[in-house]
Amino acid sequence: ASFTISPRMVDNITVMIKLRPGVSPSCQIRVKNVIRSELKIKPGENVTFTFTCSTPEKHFIMEIQKNIDCVSGPCPFGDVHLYPPGLPRLNRTFIWDVKASTKAGLELKFSTPWLRQIEPGEMCPDFVSYNINSCIDMATVNIGTFCRNGSVSRVKLLGGVVMSLHLPWDSPLTTSGFNIANRASIKRLCIIESILKGESSITLMSPNYPLGFPEDELMTWQFVVPSNMRASVFFHNYSLSNCERKEERVEYYIPGSLSNPEVFKLSDSQPANIAGSFNLSLQGCDQDAQNPGILRLLFQVVVQHPQIDENVTHLVDLSKEWNMTVTIHFEGWPRHIPLMSEPICLICKDPRTCDRVLTLVSGAVYKISFLCKDLSRLRITAEKGISCVDLRWCQKKIYSLSVPKAITQLPIRLHKFIWKLLAPDLINIEITSPSLKLHQHVPEQRCNTSYSYSIASATPETELNVGVFCPGGSIEKIQMRNNITISLKTFSKGFLNESNHQDLKMSFVPHIKDECTFTVSPDPKAKVYLQTPNWPYGLPPYVSISWYILVPRKQVARLGFSRDRMGIACETGRAYVNIKEETLGAEETVCREDELLPEPRNMYHNFWVNVSNCKPVDKTQLTLQFWVTFADKQIDLGVILAVVAGAGVLTAIGLTVCCVKKKKKKNQNPMVGVYNPNVNTQVPGKQGLFTKGRKNNESHVYAVIDDAMVYGHLLKESNGSVAPEVDVYRPFDGPIGSLPPSPPPLSFRKDVKRSSNAEEPPPLTDTDHDTYTFAHQKSGQSEDNGGTNEKNNGDMSVSLLENKEQDGLVE
């Protein structure tokens, strides 16, 4: 197909057809059998041409430029048409270059649906875009790039203007969509008018954005807003230049305001909740010639209906709080930044100071209100710091870790409350939950409450995520070294009801041995799972964790591990699991990382579980989980009979001794079974409590009864002779107390019982042996005593006191 273009001389239009950038010249233009790659048609010319290919729109673009001189002659004001007609279907750009005096103003008025400003590099959905440049003397300023379907209705400029309209080759548009009018001088760079109808949000930029706004220039945005609507301004991106004189600022003219114009810095929170129309002006300054910097601004205007509770204020009293901040924000803050087109929720601390995010600090009282249709889109995040400098003062104080009512009474859901607990060296932190207790969130027993606590400690050397906990468990107390962060996170609206029952407390305590110690008092009817911190990533190297499990008196605990090995290999040091009951004579079970973990076992007293890590080799981590269940103690019938028989024998002996004492009343020699009350009756073994050594006093000597006629039938051997026997007392010298067990030194590990199911007595120490002499008949030994001696491999050197302790273990 051939095309004929003949622009009139009076129109002053030039048409230019040229190859698209980056396209090879495989298609050409033929004019009177002459092949060329571009074609320029000047005013008054008449040119007919064809293309050598069937798809010229893939190879060529076209520019149609019209020059308008409003300086030397009258301006052709009115609608702007797309001339000349009959143009080929190519991507085309219409350019209107209007030259005008700076003493006059030009107005570009756009027909509906008006325009919407876009950022540089952004594309319009229909690929139809307008670009406006202002020309003052020899300087050109890019006012902005716009798409159709927006709110910008007019642009007034000082001096000349270069207006461009970009159309794709298949665009059906046949009109320019704007007209040019003459106006009086506006005394500023430009005025952009935006008409906002109904709820809407628009984004605007300063001229030359993202480059700098012209030096010492002034421009204005006029916003036409219905009087029954509310407008708010938000600055999202700005920078300041280096000023020598004046100050960069924005000025608001708000009808009805008593302080027009209202002046703000760009760094200030901008006005919000503005009723009706208003103007916003940007003023530059005289810049430093050596280092001018850049003044630029991108901002958003949001128009909303006034809320039903617009005049309702909420009192937030933080006057009695200390070192605390409360931030009210949109959901997802700060990671998620909502799109400017999304519905907006504003928090106002006074009628004109509103923002999407509002931070309140302790020590003050606030009256806040909300401009938001759906308050469920808002959240609260609070943070409070508690520190201790002098343990003598803060050790006596118990701090409540509960959410203040000033926060829970707001109609906004609490997202997170963070306590940052700071303790110096040699001072540790104790967290307690006296009534609710804490439940550790583990895969087998997940939290299903409306909130949970995430507890972590952090130092420059070690970060330890202790775990996630919720109320209603078995952990009464957690003691930790280092600085602690506790984050309360809510999951549902039910927290408002449950918040009244919070009982988490903390205090500062003296230094502890382990990085973390748990005190656990399980529900006897429940199975409790406990796991090491930093799950599932593993304990940090050389970290030691302990659990102190309380066992009710009439219950027996069953302890078991969820797997049979620790599952790590050590590069440096050894990893250990230590288990020990807190009772006299209790053995300590030690298991190394290369050994099997203990089989499930019964624990009759309060006991410790300690896990100590080594430095694992790469790709192996120490993660352990164990469980505890409870059952009622079952006393064996044979044990009951033995106890009854033993009690009968002791009663008979006691009666006999009483008779002996009564018969020998006149004899001043002490009787057997009568212990000297004038000596220290402290349990042997703690010898430091005696003022006189056992070898140097007679507190351990009993006289042998010489009157065999009284109860000799109880002492006779099978041959009728009386043979006193010597017994040896060995005092207990093992560890016992409220401290967790520690892995024994490597040189002594061979003497410590490894994990096994056999029950053996603790080794006896080679301390002083105090000799007690008793006369008794071997053949008359009770069955219970015989079992004890048999357990000790026939050794008769077990004291009555130690037999009593072993009997107590059975109970």
Side-chain angles (χ1 to χ4, degrees):
S2 64
F3 302 92
T4 301
I5 299 177
S6 55
R8 298 181 303 178
M9 183 66 70
V10 68
D11 292 333
N12 201 14
I13 293 176
T14 300
V15 179
M16 184 74 178
I17 301 175
K18 55 186 177 181
L19 285 171
R20 297 179 62 174
V23 175
S24 61
S26 58
C27 185
Q28 302 287 328
I29 304 171
R30 179 182 288 111
V31 180
K32 295 180 180 181
N33 295 324
V34 176
I35 301 298
R36 57 181 69 182
S37 59
E38 64 178 35
L39 177 63
K40 183 176 183 180
I41 305 172
K42 298 178 181 179
E45 294 183 347
N46 187 341
V47 179
T48 300
F49 60 93
T50 60
F51 295 101
T52 62
C53 62
S54 59
T55 55
E57 67 275 5
K58 296 181 179 179
H59 302 272
F60 294 94
I61 59 174
M62 182 166 50
E63 290 182 358
I64 304 99
Q65 180 169 330
K66 180 179 178 66
N67 297 317
I68 302 174
D69 186 359
C70 294
V71 177
S72 57
C75 285
F77 297 124
D79 292 338
V80 176
H81 302 283
L82 300 181
Y83 282 150
L87 298 175
R89 290 167 60 85
L90 303 176
N91 290 348
R92 53 203 181 275
T93 301
F94 290 90
I95 302 173
W96 295 270
D97 187 351
V98 183
K99 292 180 170 56
S101 171
T102 56
K103 297 180 180 179
L106 291 176
E107 178 183 280
L108 305 178
K109 186 176 181 180
F110 300 94
S111 57
T112 54
W114 300 323
L115 301 183
R116 172 177 62 89
Q117 189 172 9
I118 61 173
E119 295 187 47
E122 186 179 350
M123 298 295 294
C124 296
D126 58 0
F127 300 103
V128 176
S129 63
Y130 295 84
N131 185 264
I132 304 173
N133 288 273
S134 174
C135 299
I136 302 176
D137 299 328
M138 299 300 294
T140 300
V141 178
N142 181 19
I143 303 301
T145 302
F146 302 82
C147 300
R148 297 194 299 168
N149 297 317
S151 63
V152 176
S153 57
R154 288 190 295 180
V155 177
K156 302 174 184 178
L157 302 114
L158 182 66
V161 62
V162 177
M163 177 73 177
S164 302
L165 170 60
H166 303 277
L167 299 176
W169 67 271
D170 57 350
S171 174
L173 199 63
T174 58
T175 60
S176 66
F178 71 96
N179 63 48
I180 300 177
N182 186 22
R183 290 293 180 263
S185 176
I186 58 175
K187 298 181 180 179
R188 60 199 67 203
L189 176 64
C190 66
I191 299 174
I192 299 176
E193 179 187 82
S194 186
I195 300 176
L196 300 165
K197 294 183 177 181
E199 289 197 335
S200 57
S201 172
I202 63 169
T203 301
L204 295 165
M205 285 145 274
S206 59
N208 278 347
Y209 188 90
L211 302 178
F213 185 68
E215 180 180 7
D216 196 24
E217 275 290 358
L218 171 67
M219 73 158 294
T220 299
W221 290 272
Q222 293 179 337
F223 298 100
V224 180
V225 181
S227 59
N228 63 336
M229 304 294 287
R230 300 293 180 266
S232 302
V233 180
F234 303 97
F235 287 3
H236 291 295
N237 189 14
Y238 68 88
S239 63
L240 303 175
S241 57
N242 299 314
C243 298
E244 282 191 344
R245 292 187 301 113
K246 301 182 183 179
E247 185 179 11
E248 294 167 338
R249 63 190 184 276
V250 289
E251 298 179 354
Y252 291 85
Y253 180 85
I254 302 173
S257 174
L258 301 177
S259 56
N260 282 323
E262 297 185 20
V263 179
F264 292 82
K265 296 180 180 179
L266 276 72
S267 57
D268 292 339
S269 179
Q270 303 301 309
N273 201 23
I274 302 171
S277 302
F278 66 99
N279 292 350
L280 167 61
S281 298
L282 174 63
Q283 174 67 63
C285 68
D286 290 334
Q287 299 173 350
D288 184 349
Q290 301 298 324
N291 184 21
I294 292 177
L295 170 62
R296 60 184 171 192
L297 172 64
L298 182 147
F299 67 99
Q300 180 185 17
V301 177
V302 177
V303 176
Q304 298 171 285
H305 285 290
Q307 306 305 303
I308 297 176
D309 57 350
E310 179 185 14
N311 296 322
V312 175
T313 58
H314 302 270
L315 185 68
V316 183
D317 187 357
L318 303 180
S319 59
K320 296 181 180 179
E321 298 294 339
W322 179 259
N323 199 17
M324 185 173 79
T325 61
V326 179
T327 302
I328 306 174
H329 54 86
F330 50 86
E331 189 175 7
W333 175 88
R335 296 183 305 274
H336 168 69
I337 302 299
L339 299 175
M340 295 180 187
S341 58
E342 291 183 22
I344 193 169
C345 281
L346 301 179
I347 309 103
C348 308
K349 62 181 179 181
D350 60 59
R352 290 278 301 283
T353 305
C354 305
D355 210 335
R356 282 182 165 178
V357 179
L358 178 64
T359 298
L360 313 176
V361 297
S362 55
V365 179
Y366 300 89
K367 292 183 179 179
I368 65 173
S369 60
F370 302 99
L371 284 176
C372 183
K373 276 190 173 181
D374 185 9
L375 291 179
S376 66
R377 299 178 63 244
L378 293 177
R379 296 288 184 270
I380 296 176
T381 296
E383 183 175 305
K384 182 179 180 66
I386 302 175
S387 61
C388 175
V389 178
D390 188 349
L391 185 61
R392 292 173 299 178
W393 178 83
C394 54
Q395 187 178 7
K396 303 176 182 178
K397 189 172 182 180
I398 298 177
Y399 300 85
S400 175
L401 304 184
S402 59
V403 180
K405 289 187 177 180
I407 295 176
T408 57
Q409 70 184 6
L410 290 173
I412 306 299
R413 177 176 152 185
L414 175 67
H415 171 61
K416 188 180 290 186
F417 197 108
I418 302 171
W419 290 274
K420 291 191 173 181
L421 314 178
L422 306 178
D425 293 339
L426 303 180
I427 298 179
N428 297 143
I429 292 170
E430 180 176 283
I431 303 166
T432 60
S433 181
S435 58
L436 295 179
K437 301 182 185 177
L438 294 177
H439 167 79
Q440 187 173 16
H441 177 84
V442 297
E444 290 76 9
Q445 290 180 339
R446 298 180 180 273
C447 290
N448 58 1
T449 54
S450 64
Y451 66 98
S452 68
Y453 299 99
S454 177
I455 303 177
S457 69
T459 62
E461 298 82 16
T462 304
E463 290 187 4
L464 188 67
N465 181 15
V466 180
V468 176
F469 303 85
C470 53
S474 58
I475 300 174
E476 290 184 348
K477 179 168 60 177
I478 304 176
Q479 289 182 320
M480 302 179 65
R481 287 161 53 179
N482 310 324
N483 299 327
I484 311 298
T485 298
I486 302 176
S487 300
L488 182 152
K489 187 174 183 180
T490 65
F491 302 101
S492 68
K493 297 179 180 178
F495 173 74
L496 293 177
N497 297 325
E498 296 182 14
S499 64
N500 297 325
H501 307 291
Q502 298 175 81
D503 75 333
L504 198 67
K505 303 181 186 304
M506 67 81 57
S507 58
F508 295 98
V509 295
H511 189 70
I512 63 173
K513 179 178 66 174
D514 297 320
E515 275 74 8
C516 185
T517 300
F518 298 85
T519 300
V520 186
S521 177
D523 182 350
K525 299 180 181 179
K527 185 175 185 178
V528 177
Y529 288 88
L530 298 166
Q531 65 187 20
T532 51
N534 257 28
W535 189 279
Y537 306 107
L539 283 178
Y542 309 118
V543 165
S544 178
I545 307 293
S546 292
W547 292 264
Y548 181 52
I549 319 294
L550 302 177
V551 180
R553 289 186 59 186
K554 297 182 180 181
Q555 299 265 316
V556 57
R558 186 133 181 105
L559 167 68
F561 290 85
S562 298
R563 62 171 186 255
D564 58 355
R565 289 185 179 273
M566 295 191 205
I568 65 165
C570 291
E571 178 182 323
T572 306
R574 289 288 191 181
Y576 293 95
V577 172
N578 295 53
I579 304 171
K580 184 175 182 182
E581 286 187 283
E582 192 179 69
T583 183
L584 286 172
E587 65 181 15
E588 181 174 352
T589 300
V590 180
C591 180
R592 215 167 50 191
E593 85 279 352
D594 56 353
E595 299 173 333
L596 289 173
L597 289 170
E599 295 290 332
R601 58 178 53 203
N602 292 336
M603 313 296 285
Y604 296 91
H605 303 85
N606 299 344
F607 63 95
W608 289 93
V609 177
N610 173 270
V611 177
S612 301
N613 197 14
C614 60
K615 181 182 179 182
V617 299
D618 292 341
K619 298 182 180 179
T620 62
Q621 300 294 338
L622 177 55
T623 58
L624 277 184
Q625 185 187 81
F626 62 92
W627 50 263
V628 179
T629 59
F630 288 91
D632 293 333
K633 284 185 178 178
Q634 302 295 329
I635 302 178
D636 186 72
L637 182 60
V639 175
I640 296 176
L641 294 176
V643 171
V644 172
V649 172
L650 291 175
T651 301
I653 295 174
L655 292 173
T656 304
V657 171
C658 290
C659 295
V660 172
K661 183 176 182 181
K662 188 173 182 179
K663 184 176 179 180
K664 299 285 185 176
K665 187 174 181 181
K666 295 180 181 181
N667 191 341
Q668 299 302 316
N669 292 332
M671 301 300 178
V672 69
V674 180
Y675 193 75
N676 187 352
N678 296 322
V679 300
N680 194 326
T681 59
Q682 182 70 28
V683 175
K686 297 186 178 181
Q687 300 177 7
L689 298 177
F690 290 93
T691 57
K692 186 177 182 181
R694 289 190 175 274
K695 292 184 178 180
N696 301 323
N697 66 31
E698 297 180 351
S699 62
H700 59 294
V701 177
Y702 290 75
V704 178
I705 297 174
D706 56 354
D707 193 346
M709 296 299 294
V710 179
Y711 56 100
H713 63 285
L714 297 174
L715 305 174
K716 287 182 179 180
E717 294 189 279
S718 59
N719 57 7
S721 62
V722 177
E725 184 172 285
V726 176
D727 213 347
V728 177
Y729 173 72
R730 300 175 184 269
F732 174 76
D733 199 30
I736 182 170
S738 60
L739 293 177
S742 299
L746 292 175
S747 59
F748 299 108
R749 289 276 158 81
K750 62 183 180 180
D751 297 326
V752 181
K753 180 177 179 246
R754 303 272 182 222
S755 170
S756 67
N757 294 325
E759 298 290 340
E760 297 180 7
L764 299 178
T765 58
D766 294 329
T767 55
D768 293 341
H769 302 296
D770 298 330
T771 304
Y772 291 78
T773 303
F774 297 90
H776 61 285
Q777 185 176 357
K778 287 186 178 180
S779 61
Q781 294 241 311
S782 69
E783 187 175 322
D784 186 44
N785 285 337
T788 302
N789 291 337
E790 185 178 2
K791 185 176 180 180
N792 287 277
N793 301 321
D795 186 2
M796 302 301 297
S797 59
V798 179
S799 67
L800 289 179
L801 176 63
E802 193 163 345
N803 283 337
K804 183 64 177 176
E805 286 295 332
Q806 292 179 1
D807 288 343
L809 292 176
V810 180
E811 293 180 358

